[in-house]
Amino acid sequence: MPPTKQGSVLMGFNKNVAKFSTKTMAAAAKGGIVTFVHNNNYTKDQLGECFERNSEGMLKNMAIHELALLVTFYGVTTDTIAEVVADKEYSSCQTLVGPSSGKEFTDFDKLKFTIKTKEGKQVSVAADRCGGDDSVGIVTDETTGKETFRYSMPDEEDLANIPGLEKRCPGAMPYFYVQDPDYATLKERIAKNCFDGTPAEGVATIDVAVETLKVAEYLTPLLQKQLLG
């Protein structure tokens, strides 16, 4: 990945610099297939409101951070994708009524898929609106499918910081407390880049963001068709 030049438009995809993702990719450099898992802590009865408020859809909302990882580090673009396969046993696509508008919204509440690129790279993404409040990086052996590495966000260090953050900033969504250290890293790298041109390692640029949105728009109908027929 080329270094970020001073003056580039930089984006706030914090998972590009998060411990769980960077450590997972480092482990996979020795061999293995990566799966990025993203969980939110909605309850089933909140999904209608969730679908309505995030009507752009899961891939342009919740899982956009994982897609940014794929674009930044795996060379995934609409032109390089060779194959996309949904995990039908894991995934779920529903049409629910939004409580405010009374309109129907079709979206994924759970989704897992694997992308293979024309260059032979393979990476998977899993997202679950009702799966909890963490993100996980997993590496599996390419031959046996056995898990060889796992790292979660928050880790023990992050968990220890949460009570203090809750006291300082009460009422925030839980994921802001969980991801606070990664947002701090992101802001530090962007600030240094603006100040003296230090390369903002791993930070997504506006070009990455645009391509990420294109990938999300490309994948959404394709995966819905695989799941709904």
Side-chain angles (χ1 to χ4, degrees):
M1 186 178 64
T4 306
K5 297 179 180 178
Q6 189 176 23
S8 297
V9 177
L10 303 175
M11 307 298 294
F13 290 109
N14 66 301
K15 289 187 177 180
N16 270 41
V17 303
K19 286 182 287 184
F20 93 96
S21 56
T22 54
K23 287 180 180 292
T24 299
M25 289 186 286
K30 303 171 186 176
I33 305 298
V34 169
T35 300
F36 295 113
V37 181
H38 184 169
N39 293 315
N40 276 171
N41 59 352
Y42 293 96
T43 59
K44 296 292 184 182
D45 61 345
Q46 294 173 327
L47 285 175
E49 188 276 335
C50 175
F51 281 20
E52 180 179 48
R53 180 164 45 83
N54 303 298
S55 59
E56 66 272 26
M58 177 188 273
L59 289 180
K60 292 178 75 173
N61 170 257
M62 176 183 178
I64 196 73
H65 297 274
E66 284 66 37
L67 293 184
L69 288 170
L70 271 54
V71 171
T72 306
F73 300 105
Y74 292 86
V76 171
T77 70
T78 54
D79 292 327
T80 64
I81 294 173
E83 182 182 29
V84 182
V85 178
D87 183 333
K88 295 183 180 180
E89 291 187 8
Y90 180 98
S91 304
S92 171
C93 187
Q94 301 189 58
T95 298
L96 300 174
V97 175
S100 297
S101 66
K103 296 180 180 179
E104 292 186 339
F105 298 88
T106 299
D107 197 8
F108 310 101
D109 58 286
K110 290 181 67 176
L111 179 63
K112 184 177 181 180
F113 60 90
T114 298
I115 288 180
K116 293 181 181 179
T117 69
K118 294 174 182 177
E119 294 183 350
K121 295 180 181 179
Q122 179 175 323
V123 60
S124 298
V125 171
D128 186 348
R129 291 285 194 188
C130 304
D133 192 28
D134 61 350
S135 295
V136 186
I138 301 169
V139 181
T140 55
D141 184 89
E142 192 169 357
T143 302
T144 66
K146 182 179 178 181
E147 185 177 311
T148 60
F149 180 87
R150 173 182 289 255
Y151 199 94
S152 297
M153 177 183 72
D155 60 15
E156 291 184 3
E157 181 182 6
D158 298 336
L159 286 171
N161 290 331
I162 290 175
L165 291 169
E166 289 175 330
K167 288 182 179 179
R168 288 209 314 272
C169 306
M173 286 293 287
Y175 59 81
F176 284 117
Y177 303 128
V178 169
Q179 299 179 30
D180 180 79
D182 300 320
Y183 276 114
T185 298
L186 179 71
K187 291 176 181 179
E188 288 171 1
R189 292 184 186 182
I190 291 175
K192 288 180 180 178
N193 178 261
C194 294
F195 180 70
D196 61 11
T198 300
E201 181 183 355
V203 177
T205 64
I206 188 68
D207 293 330
V208 167
V210 169
E211 190 58 49
T212 300
L213 286 172
K214 289 180 180 179
V215 170
E217 291 174 348
Y218 172 80
L219 291 178
T220 297
L222 190 156
L223 290 167
Q224 285 182 347
K225 184 177 181 181
Q226 289 187 26
L227 296 177
L228 300 176

